[in-house]
């Protein structure tokens, strides 16, 4: 008790240093109210010395500052802004990447007519193709729905294990987080390509790819969410003799449920778009048809696929947005 | 019965919270622990349900020795018989009051039941009765975060009652409440203590309230018990010994409210 009593002076000095980064107040005369008070005369010189040295240090550190003088003579120093520096760095990086990727503006404009040519051919869709495309489209929706659902369900227990405020065992924490990072490194298309080798072409491989993707991002989002919740209720339930998992589902679930459902719906939205291209690597769904029709240059059929995809994505996005609004 | 036999507690960082404490608390007592912040009040309470482990001496609670060997399944079974009320209420804000009270039954259920919140009818009746005992039955289906501080602390007390413990530990139960509400909550504690014969051990900052509601007072200073006796015998010189200085009217902030109420 006696040993760790903090010295009020050092505390004040520390606080001054912390705040002074944003704003520095410099009274013209260092007349603190304490020095005027006779009772605290002993502490006063020390206190003002401390303030003076802190301010001196700061004025040396930040030279490029603007000074504002208030009506009563108090001056406020505005610290040096980092924004120009950030713009400079961004500009340099843009120039480098422009040169590396060989963007040729002339080529871009000369070939742009081709793009419109293809678009023009799409303006007369072959509506009879719809009946062929509807099956794979439903496959795509199923793939993304089932993948999102299973991925989201798997994500919760893993999020529990990788939240540092819940799991105190460093080995468990480290290994689950490492596994999650590994899972997140590969893009969903690469997963689908590898999984088709294992499970054969088709919807099954696509679903597994989407499960892995959803699981990877959702568990990260959720464990970060869990780390911000209030642990009071969790501790109280644990104190009644409930095990950690039980205390977690009872006390933490109600707190994270809205954001969990919202994130899950959001990943379902994203997954519909991913599921649409998985067919390119043979993992089923509407992507197979895209690949096929583009290769045969049947742009009227491609138009049908695009219209269908547009309608589906638009509908699901809106339903999801509506539901997420209701949740928050 | 709770028995401290030369119990000491040193935290891993070297802080000695309790030096050597010996005391006995019988079933059904209402004990208030008073003393300065950092004197060891909180530590004393948290040793009883092993939120912190004893580092010296022997602590026995209801014939169970609370030592390092008490862990896992046995510790959880032991804790079911000890309720705890916190200064910050620690309710699950986003759920209804009754679900908060029912949360005390989770320890007795299996995981699937707790995952889906499948509480039995008996549990629900038990929870409602607990809410009735603290006088907020009509708030059963309100969201907990919509209640006032005093009401939230009553829900916390109801949760503890629903747990059906033999001992209730209260760590500064009224420290964040206004004086009038604090008195009402303390009355609830006293009633529960009397009607249900549950031992109540409460840390108190407010000396006057400790003396008013508890029959026995334990004064702690620097990790040592300096007074242990009936609250009726606590006088100013004793308080001076516990707190290290005179307790003036200024310190007893509820005196005026009390007189107004009376």
């Amino acid at each position: 008790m006696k040993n760790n009593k903090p010295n009020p002076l050092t505390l004040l000095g520390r606080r001054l240093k912390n705040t002074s980064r944003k704003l520095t107040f410099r009274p013209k005369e260092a007349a603190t109210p304490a020095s005027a008070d006779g009772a605290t005369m002993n502490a006063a010189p020390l206190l003002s010395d401390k303030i003076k040295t802190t301010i001196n240090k700061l004025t040396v550190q930040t030279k490029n500052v603007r000074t504002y003088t208030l009506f009563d003579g108090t001056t406020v120093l505005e610290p040096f802004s980092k924004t120009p520096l950030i713009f400079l760095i961004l500009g340099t990086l843009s120039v480098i990447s422009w040169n590396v990727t060989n963007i040729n503006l002339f080529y871009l404009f000369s070939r742009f007519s081709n793009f419109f040519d293809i678009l023009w051919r799409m303006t007369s869709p072959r509506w009879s193709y719809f009946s062929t495309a509807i099956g794979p489209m439903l496959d795509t929706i199923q793939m993304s729905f089932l993948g999102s659902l299973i991925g989201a369900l798997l994500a919760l227990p893993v999020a529990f294990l990788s939240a540092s405020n819940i799991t105190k065992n460093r080995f468990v924490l480290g290994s689950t987080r490492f596994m999650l990072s590994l899972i997140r490194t590969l893009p969903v298309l690469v997963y689908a390509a590898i999984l088709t080798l294992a499970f054969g072409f088709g919807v099954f491989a696509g679903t597994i790819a989407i499960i892995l993707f959803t699981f990877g991002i959702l568990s990260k989002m959720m464990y970060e969410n869990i780390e911000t919740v209030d642990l009071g209720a969790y501790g109280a339930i644990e104190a009644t003799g409930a095990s950690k998992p039980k205390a977690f589902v009872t006390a933490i679930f109600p707190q994270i449920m809205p954001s969990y459902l919202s994130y899950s719906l959001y990943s379902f939205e994203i997954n519909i778009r991913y599921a649409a291209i998985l067919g390119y690597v043979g993992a089923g769904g509407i992507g197979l048809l895209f690949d096929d029709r583009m290769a045969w240059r049947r742009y009227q059929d491609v138009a049908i696929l695009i219209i269908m995809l547009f309608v589906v994505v638009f509908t699901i996005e809106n339903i999801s947005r509506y539901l997420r609004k209701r949740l928050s | 019965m709770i028995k401290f036999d030369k119990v000491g507690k040193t935290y891993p960082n070297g802080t000695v919270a309790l030096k050597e404490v010996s005391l006995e608390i019988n079933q059904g007592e209402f004990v208030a622990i008073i003393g300065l912040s950092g004197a060891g009040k909180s530590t004393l309470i948290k040793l009883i349900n092993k939120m912190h482990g004893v580092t010296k001496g022997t602590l026995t609670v209801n014939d169970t020795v609370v030592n390092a060997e008490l862990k896992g399944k046995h510790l959880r079974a032991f804790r079911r018989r000890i309720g705890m009320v916190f200064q910050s209420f620690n309710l699950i804000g986003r759920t209804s009051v009754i679900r908060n009270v029912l949360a005390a039954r989770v320890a007795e259920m299996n995981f699937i039941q707790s995952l889906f919140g499948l509480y039995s009818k008996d549990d629900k009746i038990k929870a409602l009765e607990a809410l009735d005992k603290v006088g907020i039955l009509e708030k059963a289906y309100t969201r907990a975060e919509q209640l006032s501080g005093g009401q939230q602390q009553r829900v916390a007390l109801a949760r503890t009652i629903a747990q059906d413990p033999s001992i209730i530990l209260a760590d500064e139960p009224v420290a964040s409440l206004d004086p009038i509400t604090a008195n009402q909550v303390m009355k609830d504690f006293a009633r529960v203590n009397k009607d249900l014969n549950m031992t109540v051990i409460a840390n108190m900052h407010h000396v006057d309230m400790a003396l008013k509601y508890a029959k026995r007072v334990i004064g702690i200073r620097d990790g040592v018990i300096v007074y242990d006796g009936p609250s009726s015998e606590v006088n100013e010189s004793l308080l001076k010994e516990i707190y290290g200085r005179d307790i003036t009217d200024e310190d007893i902030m509820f005196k005026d409210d009390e007189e107004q109420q009376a």
Side-chain angles (χ1 to χ4, degrees), chain A residues 224-237:
Chain A
E224 282 175 355
N225 196 271
I226 291 168
E227 284 174 353
T228 63
V229 302
D230 170 32
L231 284 183
Y234 174 73
I237 307 303

Side-chain angles (χ1 to χ4, degrees), chain A residues 237-244 246, chain B residues 48-50 61-62 64-66 69-83 104 106-109 163-167:
Chain A
I237 307 303
E238 243 197 309
T240 67
S243 62
K244 275 184 168 221
K246 280 198 243 173
Chain B
I48 296 173
N49 67 346
K50 217 198 162 193
V61 179
N62 295 341
T64 305
V65 180
V66 187
E69 276 148 49
L70 184 65
K71 58 188 176 188
K73 220 175 177 177
H74 299 289
L75 176 62
R76 292 201 291 273
F78 168 73
R79 280 183 175 166
R80 281 177 210 177
R81 303 288 293 137
I82 304 173
V106 161
E108 310 274 349
M109 298 165 19
Q163 190 190 330
D164 206 11
S166 63
I167 301 163

